[in-house]
């Protein structure tokens, strides 16, 4: 017999099963969050240096509640095991809310809200991924626009999305454009 109690227990079981599989969780601020995203004190220099010590690269993913392409990134791109496994092995991903109010300490020591940080870096679309160099030290002296090694503004289909993370991990940005990198990939 179907009762309200049985429905609630079933819904809770499905939610736990989804988390056990590594599916994204809808947070209180309306963003989907992957269980492997970076838990952070929102000190960007510390996060970047911690990623470096682990042999990983640091990336910020900017999102917005209700953004259909953010949701698609979680439920299509990150749902592919080859993509999520590659990112987990090679990157620390910090999720920020483009209109959020949490305080973030930038590489230059400035403490800003997420919304003010997005404006400082000219982030206007979601999802946007900001990829940073391997070390935080030199970033303090650079203007914000010169701190990133590359940026992915907007949604990208899964294969190209994975290629962007490979492009950064392999430091191909030092010698070629992303377009040339993708053209050179085997079919």
């Amino acid at each position: 017999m179907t009762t309200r109690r049985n429905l609630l227990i079933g819904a809770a079981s499905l939610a736990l099963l989804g988390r056990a599989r590594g599916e994204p969780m809808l947070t209180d601020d309306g963003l989907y969050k992957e269980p492997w995203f970076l838990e952070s004190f929102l000190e960007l220099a510390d996060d970047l240096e911690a990623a470096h010590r682990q042999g990983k690269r640091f990336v910020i993913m900017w999102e917005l509640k209700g953004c259909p392409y953010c949701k698609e990134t979680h439920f299509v791109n990150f749902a592919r095991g080859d993509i999520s496994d590659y990112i987990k092995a090679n990157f620390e991903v910090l999720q920020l809310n483009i209109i959020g109010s949490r305080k973030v300490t930038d590489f230059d020591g400035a403490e800003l809200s997420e919304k003010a940080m997005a404006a400082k870096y000219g982030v206007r679309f979601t999802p946007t991924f900001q990829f940073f160099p391997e070390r935080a030290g030199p970033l303090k002296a650079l203007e914000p626009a010169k701190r990133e090694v590359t940026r992915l503004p907007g949604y990208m289909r899964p294969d190209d999305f994975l290629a962007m993370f490979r492009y950064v991990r392999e430091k191909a940005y030092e010698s070629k454009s992303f377009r040339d990198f993708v053209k050179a990939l085997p079919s």
Side-chain angles (χ1 to χ4, degrees):
M1 176 174 185
T2 303
T3 65
R4 180 184 285 175
R5 178 177 169 76
N6 288 343
L7 286 174
L8 288 173
I9 290 171
S13 297
L14 285 175
L16 289 174
L17 180 61
R19 284 197 202 131
R21 287 187 189 146
E23 291 179 6
M25 178 180 81
L26 188 59
T27 62
D28 291 340
D29 59 0
L31 305 181
Y32 286 95
K33 184 174 185 170
E34 299 297 324
W36 44 269
F37 275 2
L38 178 63
E39 291 295 328
S40 171
F41 290 112
L42 303 178
E43 306 235 351
L44 299 186
D46 290 348
D47 290 340
L48 190 150
E49 288 299 324
H52 177 74
R53 285 191 300 275
Q54 295 173 37
K56 296 181 177 185
R57 298 296 297 265
F58 178 67
V59 59
I60 295 176
M61 179 182 186
W62 291 95
E63 296 190 65
L64 176 67
K65 177 182 179 177
C67 164
Y69 293 112
C70 298
K71 184 175 181 180
E72 189 154 339
T73 299
H74 287 279
F75 286 92
V76 175
N77 296 18
F78 289 146
R80 274 190 31 189
D82 60 328
I83 293 174
S84 59
D85 289 347
Y86 185 84
I87 295 171
K88 286 187 279 188
N90 294 290
F91 290 86
E92 287 291 351
V93 180
L94 175 63
Q95 180 184 48
L96 295 178
N97 184 341
I98 197 169
I99 60 168
S101 59
R102 295 183 302 168
K103 294 294 181 197
V104 181
T105 304
D106 197 1
F107 297 107
D108 59 13
E111 188 177 289
L112 306 162
S113 69
E114 291 166 288
K115 183 178 180 177
M117 183 78 67
K120 179 178 180 176
Y121 280 91
V123 176
R124 293 181 180 87
F125 308 105
T126 57
T128 289
F129 291 82
Q130 287 181 286
F131 295 90
F132 293 94
E134 294 177 287
R135 302 306 303 259
L139 299 181
K140 184 176 186 174
L142 297 175
E143 61 185 76
K146 298 197 186 258
R147 292 178 184 162
E148 304 167 14
V149 295
T150 194
R151 176 183 289 204
L152 171 57
Y155 179 75
M156 193 174 271
R157 291 174 305 168
D159 290 337
D160 293 333
F161 183 74
L162 177 57
M164 176 59 83
F165 280 85
R166 288 186 52 209
Y167 176 71
V168 173
R169 182 63 186 171
E170 296 170 19
K171 298 184 195 173
Y173 55 83
E174 292 177 348
S175 62
K176 62 181 89 170
S177 70
F178 178 64
R179 175 175 281 170
D180 291 339
F181 178 79
V182 171
K183 282 182 186 177
L185 292 174
S187 301

